[in-house]
Amino acid sequence: MSETGDDRAGRTRRVVGIVLALVSIAAGAVLILAHLALPEIVRVAGAGLVVVGLATVLGVDGAGHSRWWARILTGVATAAAGIVVLVWQSASIRSLLWVMVTALIVHGVHTIVAAIRSETDRRVAGMFSGAAAVLLGLLCLVWPVLAIELIALGVGAWLVFVGLRGLLDPLLHRRRERAAARAGSGRLRRWGRTILAVTVFLLVAALAVGSALLLRGDDRPAPDDFYTSTEPLPAEPGVLLRAETLTVGVPAGADAWRILYTSTAPDDTVVAVSGTVIAPGDRGADALPLLSVAHGTTGIVPRCAPSLSPTPFSDGAGAALTQMVTEHGWAGVISDYVGLGTPGMHPYLVGQVEARNVLDASRAARQLDGLTLSSDTVVWGHSQGGHGALWTGQIADDYAPELTLLGIAGMAPATDLYTLAELSKDEVGGKTVSAYIAQSWNEVYPELDLAGHLNPGTAHGVEMIGDLCFNEQDAIAALVRGTQIPDQVFPDAVLDGDLGGTLRENSPTGPWPAPVLIAQGLADPLVKPAMQQDWVDARCADGEPLDYRTYPGRDHNGLVAADSPLTPQLVSWTLDRWNRAAPTPTC
């Protein structure tokens, strides 16, 4: 019997399908196994998308029985995406990410539609595998940087899968037909595809659930009426407006209060600021020594106030603070800073404002009923708080001359802000801090127009991080968001321009009216030891007698942990300042 036209067309179609499948497998294998540069990744992936698109148009991609128009539209869209990638050689890897996401979602939808018109086992398998492809595409949008880093592997695996499916599907189809007459003997083989598809879907779904848990942050309360001031405010800063007893997170043997007081905003207006006060429960009528604590980074929006935290006294050297209060009879006062607790945006790392808030909190604490506090004080601070403590010492004599500073302790302080930003601009922690600066300084320094000068592709991540706090579950979400900002937040031209100048203006340089202790962990990935050493050397060269102590193996938070060697040293150093012992400068 002679071969008909339909037979020849069918044979040609099968041959073309096999060739396309082999090319798809080969392209995927190259992406997975070869160490390619970015341009080669783009070209190979683009070629693979064209091959898959052609296979889909011809109906030899193994997706199942779809309507001809749906198959052709899907194939044309996929091939067009590949052609765009091949032609647009200047495209970044992020552009390829969007192409991959589009291909995954389009093919996922096509697989679902095709499955509806297929046999029962293929229908269930197609539904789950198609849903997995769509969900995976959406996850790539949630985790863009991770997807970018793994794009060669992801696209490669997808091309291999599609190629194998197109290569093996005709053979599997004939076997299904032969096995249809056998009851039960081929059931496991026929449903194996379904079991695999369900497994893949469950894995992708688990990734989606895990992503939601990581990115959602926590459900901390918004500030209540206590944080809303009554107008008009007193004209002078440092006035206690109200206070209430605080019981949550208070160490045994201590009393604590939440306070609202007046301080000075960046524009020099008087505003309400919140904070906390802690004192020994067993205290006499004598004035208590006062410890003024500048807290570290907690965020830039009102709900991130330390006084709203379930552990309001754990920030920074919390263990040392507890010892000072319960064992040595000191009182401690912690400002939330303006914009944390009270309405508005917190002016993050704006030195003058942090210092005013700290000094005004000390003033206000001395007005609490039933508590007598000395006008002599020692200032502590960790990280952002170290920055605030150094600025507090720098302006204390002019801003609050009625207070006498006996000592200033900065623990891993943010000192040289420009160098910090430069050294950490490509790191997760640096991107997170830069996001806070971008959001906060866009309001504090509108002339910088930071919102209009962010690196392309970073604005969404900056906005999301700005609404997250930097403690408890929110800190994890903020850092995870930081990993998904693909580039440094600020272009080098912006960092080297007016922004860099403003960062330098907010870097503390002295002079200081009291002994200064600087503590630095040598394993700190955020506040770099080399940067700190350079800053200390510059201050020593200017004649500032700093006591600089380094701690091998201690990272940013480990430096102030309860088991850190700094903890007993900090307590001892603070007591020495009260007793007017001679300082021990290292320069």
Side-chain angles (χ1 to χ4, degrees), residues 466-544:
D467 196 46
L468 292 167
C469 303
F470 203 66
N471 51 20
E472 303 171 52
Q473 176 66 27
D474 257 16
I476 298 174
L479 287 171
V480 169
R481 293 280 185 187
T483 67
Q484 299 312 297
I485 294 180
D487 296 310
Q488 62 190 64
V489 172
F490 302 114
D492 287 338
V494 173
L495 193 56
D496 293 336
D498 291 341
L499 173 60
T502 308
L503 288 168
R504 292 185 178 94
E505 290 172 3
N506 280 286
S507 299
T509 56
W512 294 285
V516 176
L517 169 67
I518 302 295
Q520 177 66 43
L522 295 183
D524 193 329
L526 184 58
V527 176
K528 310 292 187 183
M531 180 281 302
Q532 203 71 276
Q533 183 67 63
D534 289 344
W535 181 87
V536 167
D537 291 344
R539 304 288 74 73
C540 289
D542 287 343
E544 292 295 329

Side-chain angles (χ1 to χ4, degrees), residues 137-299:
L138 296 176
L139 279 175
C140 286
L141 296 179
V142 174
W143 301 97
V145 173
L146 182 61
I148 288 170
E149 293 175 351
L150 299 179
I151 195 166
L153 181 62
V155 173
W158 179 68
L159 289 174
V160 170
F161 169 75
V162 173
L164 287 174
R165 186 177 65 183
L167 191 65
L168 300 177
D169 192 71
L171 176 62
L172 294 175
H173 181 69
R174 288 193 294 271
R175 288 184 176 180
R176 280 195 302 271
E177 289 179 340
R178 289 196 299 268
R182 297 197 294 269
S185 62
R187 185 173 300 168
L188 181 60
R189 184 167 57 236
R190 287 188 292 113
W191 284 89
R193 184 207 301 260
T194 300
I195 295 172
L196 179 60
V198 171
T199 302
V200 170
F201 174 80
L202 291 176
L203 288 174
V204 176
L207 287 174
V209 172
S211 299
L213 293 176
L214 280 175
L215 295 173
R216 73 181 179 90
D218 53 46
D219 298 321
R220 68 185 65 204
D224 56 24
D225 291 341
F226 177 86
Y227 296 85
T228 303
S229 60
T230 56
E231 302 292 342
L233 291 173
E236 64 274 8
V239 176
L240 181 67
L241 299 176
R242 66 172 69 106
E244 66 179 20
T245 301
L246 185 63
T247 57
V248 176
V250 180
D255 294 331
W257 300 264
R258 184 182 285 124
I259 62 172
L260 190 72
Y261 63 96
T262 58
S263 190
T264 312
D267 61 359
D268 295 329
T269 59
V270 173
V271 293
V273 179
S274 55
T276 52
V277 177
I278 186 170
D282 184 12
R283 56 187 182 274
D286 294 338
L288 301 177
L290 180 60
L291 184 63
S292 299
V293 179
H295 73 77
T297 300
T298 62

